[in-house]
Every structure is written in structure tokens, then in C-alpha cells.
Amino acid sequence: MGTRLGGSLAVLLLRPAAARRRRAPGASSSSPQSAAQLRAVLEQVDEALRKGEDEAALSLVRASRGEDAGLRGFGAARQVPQRLYKLDELKLNGIDTSAFLSPVDRTLGSIERNLQIAAVLGGLSISPALELSQLQILFIVLGLLSLWSVDFVYFGGGVRNLILDTIGHYISQKYHDRVIQHEAGHFLIAYLLGVLPKGYTITSLDTLIKQGSLNVQAGTAFVDYEFVEEIKTGKMSATMLNKFSCIALAGVATEYLLYGIAEGGLADINKLDELLNGVGFTQKKADSQVRWAVLNTVLMLRRHQKAILQLAEAMSSGKSVGSCIEVIEGNINTEDI
């Protein structure tokens, strides 16, 4: 099922779902004592996550929510009302869906093409020196193509992705930054919606070392046992589906807001399509769900642009989940979470 955003047009103004959340005067979350207490709690969260105690980590975070406890942002995001949104409403909010939901990684595509050209030119230049016959050159080419095919069949193109991603991070600062900001988008939106991140990777090599996955460029993992339990029952609540939809689109939304177009995140969109198809949504209902999630996610990210940039910097430095949460709490827009 391919999710579309098109539909009949109508010009409607958006209204907030709830009044803005304002920090109470004299809130203690900014005092040195409360900051130290919060840091101690987040260190416990990190320790629980390291031990694989996801439920304990989530319980710690939930117990620390609110002004007095210190975690003001966890699950506190204001969201737009869920209803059928028309394409014009997204355009009124500055969202061009054509640059949003069909991401093509031009950076890695360019690197792959250049490698192919370099390989051909290199082969032609050294073949006379090695005194290779045309038949030997043909066998070498066929051998390389066979290895490429084996990678696609047995590893899903994982070796190819590993090579291209590693080169991309090394030679392109823009690609490196974009991947980090993409993952920061997933992390931030999940946190604001009350889903606890439990880890992240920035490169394919990092993912291979930490998780043993060969065909993933980068990724953010979450404490998702509640989601898994709902999947097992065959029934998913609207609340859980809404959270998953926004988190899935958060990476491409972040890229779109920062660069005007998304290049990464096709796998995220495909996963959302599969989920909506799996719960039995018609195409019309899936389109409506995606349009709402796009609008909701983009508006949340716009309110917290400072937080997303600071979070990306923290993730680039390899900070722990607890430290990343502390960065979010120190930079979110407390006047309108």
C-alpha cells in the first residue's frame, strides 16, 4: 500500500488542541539542587537501560514527570486535533508533501555512481600494466557482479550499504549531519509523545558493531514492550497508532524542516505503510492518518527547533540516553511544549 497525501482541497484554519502549557512561576526544575536530582534519576535510567531493564527505566521516567520532578517534556506535547486534513491545510502550514514522503538519498546515490565509474576507469588503466586479456577482464567483472548479487540475496544489500554509508560519513559533512539530525528527530518526537528512547546508532558500522545488523544505516530504538503487547493481541489502540505514526515520520520531517527536502527515511515510511495496511486501514483512512501525523509532527518540531539542534549535537558526541534527555529538557520551549 502506498500512502498518498493528495485529496480534495479545502482552506481551513488550524486551532490548538489545548491551551499552551506554561511553567509555573518559581518552578524548581532550574535550581541547582533539582538539576542534580534530575541528573541522578537519568543516570539510573541509563543504568537500567544498560541492563536491559526497560520497564524499570520507563517507570523511573514516568515517576519523574512534571514541574516538581523535573521532566517537563516527557509525554507532554501539545497535538493538533485528529480529523481529516486536506492538502491545502498542510500547505497553509508551509508543508510541501512532494518534498516530504518520497525521499531519495542523492548523496549515497552519487557516491555509488562515482565508485562504479572509478572502478571501470581503474580497471581499464591497470589492465595493460598487468597484461590482462579481455577474457580475464570479463571474468573479473563477472566475479564482482556475482559478489554484488550475493550481497543482495543473502544480506539484503547490507555490505553495499555499509560501504556507501561509511564513505558518506567520511567525505560528506552534510550527509553526516543529516543522518544525525534525522535520528534526533525520531528521539525528540518519541520523548515528547511519552515513548522512551533506549539507544541509537549513527552509522551502519556502529549498528553492525552494537546490534549485529548489516543493512541498517542508522537507527533509534525505543522501550516498546507496550507496543509489542498490542501487536500480539491483534488490536492496536488509536493512541499507540498515533504515536507510532508520528515517530515514524519524525526523521523525514526533521530533514524537510532543516534542508527543504528529505533524502533519508524511506524505510520508515514503508514501515508505517505496512503497519497501516496490517491494521486493516483502507487507502482513504491511511491517507488521513498520514496527513494528520505529518502536520502534527512538523508543528511539534517547529516549536522545538533549538532542542532538535542541541540534541543532534549531543547524539553526535555519543551521549547516553539520559544525557540526551537532559539536553532536551534544557532546551525545549517550555511556554508551548
Side-chain angles (χ1 to χ4, degrees):
M1 176 185 66
T3 302
R4 301 187 305 273
L5 287 178
S8 58
L9 305 181
V11 179
L12 297 170
L13 296 178
L14 299 176
R15 295 183 177 178
R20 293 184 172 183
R21 301 173 184 267
R22 297 186 179 275
R23 184 170 60 179
S28 61
S29 58
S30 60
S31 70
Q33 182 179 2
S34 63
Q37 292 172 343
L38 176 59
R39 191 169 296 112
V41 170
L42 293 176
E43 288 175 355
Q44 295 177 47
V45 171
D46 281 334
E47 182 63 23
L49 291 175
R50 277 193 292 269
K51 293 179 179 178
E53 299 172 353
D54 291 358
E55 293 188 40
L58 182 57
S59 295
L60 283 167
V61 172
R62 284 176 172 171
S64 301
R65 284 188 294 187
E67 295 288 351
D68 295 335
L71 294 182
R72 296 160 295 169
F74 186 70
R78 175 173 62 83
Q79 303 183 60
V80 298
Q82 189 168 20
R83 58 174 176 78
L84 177 62
Y85 288 95
K86 305 301 182 182
L87 193 60
D88 265 8
E89 294 178 90
L90 272 65
K91 290 180 178 179
L92 280 173
N93 284 274
I95 301 173
D96 177 9
T97 57
S98 65
F100 195 105
L101 291 181
S102 299
V104 177
D105 204 322
R106 294 173 175 80
T107 303
L108 294 190
S110 176
I111 291 173
E112 184 174 21
R113 287 190 298 273
N114 290 335
L115 285 176
Q116 291 169 346
I117 293 171
V120 171
L121 295 177
L124 292 175
S125 64
I126 66 172
S127 58
L130 298 177
E131 298 182 349
L132 297 176
S133 67
Q134 291 183 345
L135 184 60
Q136 288 174 319
I137 294 175
L138 176 61
F139 284 148
I140 292 173
V141 172
L142 291 176
L144 292 174
L145 290 175
S146 297
L147 290 175
W148 212 245
S149 299
V150 168
D151 174 42
F152 273 98
V153 172
Y154 290 99
F155 302 111
V159 175
R160 166 188 170 275
N161 291 337
L162 177 63
I163 294 171
L164 294 177
D165 180 72
T166 302
I167 294 174
H169 280 281
Y170 183 75
I171 70 173
S172 174
Q173 186 63 43
K174 182 178 179 180
Y175 174 77
H176 178 74
D177 292 342
R178 180 171 61 77
V179 171
I180 294 171
Q181 288 154 351
H182 181 107
E183 295 307 321
H186 286 305
F187 193 116
L188 177 63
I189 291 300
Y191 182 79
L192 293 175
L193 292 177
V195 177
L196 178 64
K198 67 176 181 180
Y200 62 88
T201 56
I202 299 303
T203 68
S204 291
L205 183 59
D206 192 23
T207 305
L208 177 61
I209 293 171
K210 291 183 178 180
Q211 303 176 8
S213 299
L214 189 58
N215 57 353
V216 179
Q217 288 176 246
T220 303
F222 306 97
V223 175
D224 60 355
Y225 63 89
E226 294 173 332
F227 173 79
V228 173
E229 288 173 359
E230 290 198 13
I231 290 291
K232 288 180 179 179
T233 64
K235 296 180 180 180
M236 179 172 291
S237 65
T239 299
M240 189 65 71
L241 180 61
N242 290 345
K243 289 180 179 181
F244 183 93
S245 301
C246 294
I247 294 169
L249 295 173
V252 291
T254 302
E255 289 190 39
Y256 171 73
L257 290 175
L258 292 175
Y259 300 102
I261 191 170
E263 290 191 20
L266 182 60
D268 298 328
I269 294 172
N270 289 339
K271 286 179 182 177
L272 179 56
D273 274 349
E274 291 173 7
L275 177 64
L276 297 178
N277 188 40
V279 296
F281 273 28
T282 63
Q283 186 65 61
K284 182 178 180 180
K285 192 172 182 180
D287 292 346
S288 176
Q289 177 71 21
V290 170
R291 284 195 289 270
W292 170 82
V294 165
L295 182 61
N296 195 46
T297 303
V298 168
L299 294 183
M300 281 191 285
L301 289 169
R302 281 179 178 162
R303 293 198 298 272
H304 303 292
Q305 291 186 26
K306 180 183 177 182
I308 195 71
L309 295 176
Q310 293 299 316
L311 175 60
E313 185 175 333
M315 293 173 72
S316 179
S317 301
K319 298 291 186 182
S320 69
V321 168
S323 296
C324 288
I325 291 175
E326 189 174 6
V327 168
I328 292 173
E329 289 291 339
N331 290 279
I332 55 175
N333 177 11
T334 57
E335 294 299 311
D336 188 6
I337 295 179

